[in-house]
Amino acid sequence: MTKFLHSMIRVTDPDATVAFFKLIGLEEVRRFDVEAGRFTLIFLAAPGQEGVAEVELTYNWPAEDGTAGEQYAGGRNFGHLAYRVDNIYETCQRLKEAGHTIHRPPRDGHMAFVKSPDGISVELLQEGHLEPAEPWASMENTGSW
């Protein structure tokens, strides 16, 4: 039997990324600092989804000699993560108020795209059906998603 465990994304600022995913409704379920490998693994999941569908954030620590840490480009090469949310309008509003751009607003009341602090696209899908509502219904796309 095959069972989905997690998707991994590399991050440059673990605190900012955890805060971003909390706005969507994910929670940190476990964290490992691996001194020998100089990295941290942080696992996130939606409530009730621990061990079922998780996101692993990998943070590679800066070099001991003080040189800059790793930077990642091309987040779109990953594709996207997708989460079903209880109210897409409320979720997008929380993200917007926290300073995140809603790249593809939920004009239809069903789907939106945002990006994590490291440029990973995140698709938000509405649980059930919501009628299109302003200000979202009139918003244009911004950037790539």
Side-chain angles (χ1 to χ4, degrees):
M1 181 175 128
T2 301
K3 178 181 175 184
F4 177 81
L5 297 176
H6 65 265
S7 292
M8 183 275 275
I9 57 176
R10 290 180 177 86
V11 301
T12 57
D13 185 337
D15 293 334
T17 304
V18 169
F20 170 82
F21 281 107
K22 281 185 179 182
L23 294 168
I24 295 171
L26 274 65
E27 301 170 352
E28 183 174 328
V29 295
R30 62 189 174 286
R31 179 184 293 235
F32 304 100
D33 290 321
V34 183
E35 186 78 34
R38 300 192 48 75
F39 64 90
T40 300
L41 301 179
I42 304 165
F43 290 84
L44 308 173
Q49 294 294 297
E50 180 179 345
V52 177
E54 298 179 344
V55 173
E56 172 191 329
L57 307 179
T58 298
Y59 173 63
N60 294 307
W61 303 351
E64 290 182 272
D65 65 8
T67 57
E70 294 181 26
Q71 296 295 311
Y72 308 106
R76 288 292 292 170
N77 293 343
F78 174 83
H80 68 267
L81 301 171
Y83 294 97
R84 188 165 312 283
V85 296
D86 287 333
N87 187 306
I88 199 164
Y89 298 134
E90 291 174 3
T91 302
C92 287
Q93 188 63 40
R94 282 194 308 273
L95 288 159
K96 185 177 177 188
E97 288 172 0
H100 298 284
T101 301
I102 309 302
H103 292 277
R104 194 285 190 188
R107 289 184 296 276
D108 54 6
H110 176 70
M111 179 182 70
F113 274 89
V114 296
K115 287 187 181 178
S116 76
D118 289 290
I120 301 297
S121 286
V122 178
E123 179 182 19
L124 304 174
L125 296 166
Q126 172 63 41
E127 176 71 36
H129 177 76
L130 290 180
E131 291 296 322
E134 295 298 343
W136 308 105
S138 299
M139 286 185 172
E140 297 293 324
N141 292 344
T142 301
S144 65
W145 45 276

